[in-house]
Amino acid sequence: MRPPRLLLLALLAPLLAAGARAADDAAELRRLNDAYLQAALASDAGRLGPLLAEDFTAVLADGSLVSRSEYLRQAALPLPIRDFREEGVTVRVYGDAALLSAVAVARLKNGAWARSRYTDVYVRQGGAWRIASIQITRISR
C-alpha cells in the first residue's frame, strides 16, 4: 500500500525546509566572509569588529592565540599585500554553528607569494552570524 501523497509531503516538508535554510545560511556566510576579507584587506578594524563575536579568538599562522581586542588592534595595521585571492571556499552549516574554510593566496609587496589555509568558526547569536574563532595555517609549498 502506497502512503498518501499529503502524508508523504508532510513528512518531507521539514527536511526540505531545513535544506533550504542551510543553503540560505551558506550564502549568507559566504557574503560575510567577503565582507570580512574586504575589511581586513583595507585594514578597517571598524568594519571587522561587528563581524566578530564578543568572545572571539584567533590562532594566527605563527601559532599565537590572540583575543578579539588584540586581533582588532593588529587588523588596523596596513597589510603588505599587493594581490589577493581565495581558492576552494567551503561552507558547512550545523544548525547555529558553521565552518568556513578556504586557501588564501597573496602576493606581498616584495613580490613573494604566500599561501595559507584558514578555518573560521561562525555562531548564530541573536539571529545574526558572528565569527567566534579563526585559525590560520601557513602552507609551506
Side-chain angles (χ1 to χ4, degrees):
M1 178 174 185
R2 291 182 16 192
R5 284 188 177 184
L6 288 178
L7 176 61
L8 188 55
L9 286 174
L11 292 172
L12 291 176
L15 296 174
L16 296 173
R21 180 176 177 193
D24 290 346
D25 286 340
E28 174 67 5
L29 291 162
R30 286 177 184 269
R31 188 193 67 72
L32 289 170
N33 183 58
D34 290 343
Y36 168 86
L37 290 173
Q38 289 173 9
L41 291 169
S43 301
D44 189 341
R47 284 180 19 215
L48 284 173
L51 301 173
L52 307 180
E54 288 302 315
D55 60 348
F56 170 88
T57 58
V59 178
L60 303 180
D62 65 2
S64 61
L65 177 66
V66 297
S67 66
R68 182 181 194 276
S69 60
E70 177 59 17
Y71 188 81
L72 290 172
R73 186 193 70 73
Q74 290 183 27
L77 303 173
L79 292 173
I81 294 175
R82 276 199 300 204
D83 298 308
F84 178 87
R85 72 177 187 274
E86 284 183 294
E87 298 175 349
V89 178
T90 62
V91 178
R92 294 180 292 170
V93 178
Y94 303 99
D96 288 337
L99 299 175
L100 185 143
S101 298
V103 171
V105 181
R107 186 162 63 164
L108 307 179
K109 288 187 177 177
N110 67 7
W113 288 92
R115 291 170 48 90
S116 61
R117 183 174 310 280
Y118 67 89
T119 300
D120 299 345
V121 177
Y122 283 81
V123 293
R124 191 185 335 252
Q125 297 177 326
W129 288 104
R130 299 286 182 259
I131 303 170
S133 180
I134 291 175
Q135 176 147 358
I136 304 166
T137 304
R138 276 192 198 104
I139 300 173
S140 60
R141 50 183 169 89

